[in-house]
Amino acid sequence: MKRVLYLFLILLVSIMGACGQEQSSNDTSLLEQEGIIVEVKVHQGRWNQILVVPNISEDDISNKTTAELIEMAQENDGAYYGFGPGVLSVKPKKLM
């Protein structure tokens, strides 16, 4: 009975280790994302945020409200990214 239990544990650890390595080596989506910045949240003295939406054009976002842009980001796998104070040195142009 102990032999079966040990075999099961070794097999379980091997499978979990292999799955973890495959996932981390193939997933580059967390390293970079291309898209259009549709929203900038500036917080004085704290981390700021930008909302990036991939696979859209400037025409897709012109004349949209903030709520519409956020909804578009949710539909297109957009993401908020944080950055430290002072990193954004120019003000983004307003497309609305």
Side-chain angles (χ1 to χ4, degrees), residues 33-44:
Q33 181 177 14
E34 293 183 19
I36 295 179
I37 298 172
V38 297
E39 184 181 23
V40 177
K41 292 182 178 180
V42 178
H43 306 285
Q44 298 296 43

Side-chain angles (χ1 to χ4, degrees), residues 66-82:
T66 302
E68 291 171 325
L69 292 172
I70 292 171
E71 182 179 337
M72 186 180 291
Q74 292 170 341
E75 293 170 354
N76 292 296
D77 295 326
Y80 277 101
Y81 293 94

Side-chain angles (χ1 to χ4, degrees), residues 80-96:
Y80 277 101
Y81 293 94
F83 55 94
V87 173
L88 187 63
S89 60
V90 294
K91 290 188 176 185
K93 68 178 184 178
K94 191 158 181 119
L95 297 173
M96 294 186 276

Side-chain angles (χ1 to χ4, degrees), residues 6-54:
Y6 288 133
L7 181 61
F8 176 74
L9 288 175
I10 291 171
L11 183 63
L12 181 65
V13 169
S14 299
I15 291 172
M16 290 179 67
C19 291
Q21 289 176 353
E22 181 181 338
Q23 181 181 11
S24 63
S25 66
N26 293 334
D27 190 9
T28 60
S29 64
L30 297 176
L31 299 176
E32 61 182 55
Q33 181 177 14
E34 293 183 19
I36 295 179
I37 298 172
V38 297
E39 184 181 23
V40 177
K41 292 182 178 180
V42 178
H43 306 285
Q44 298 296 43
R46 300 184 310 169
W47 280 78
N48 302 306
Q49 295 176 313
I50 56 173
L51 176 58
V52 178
V53 182

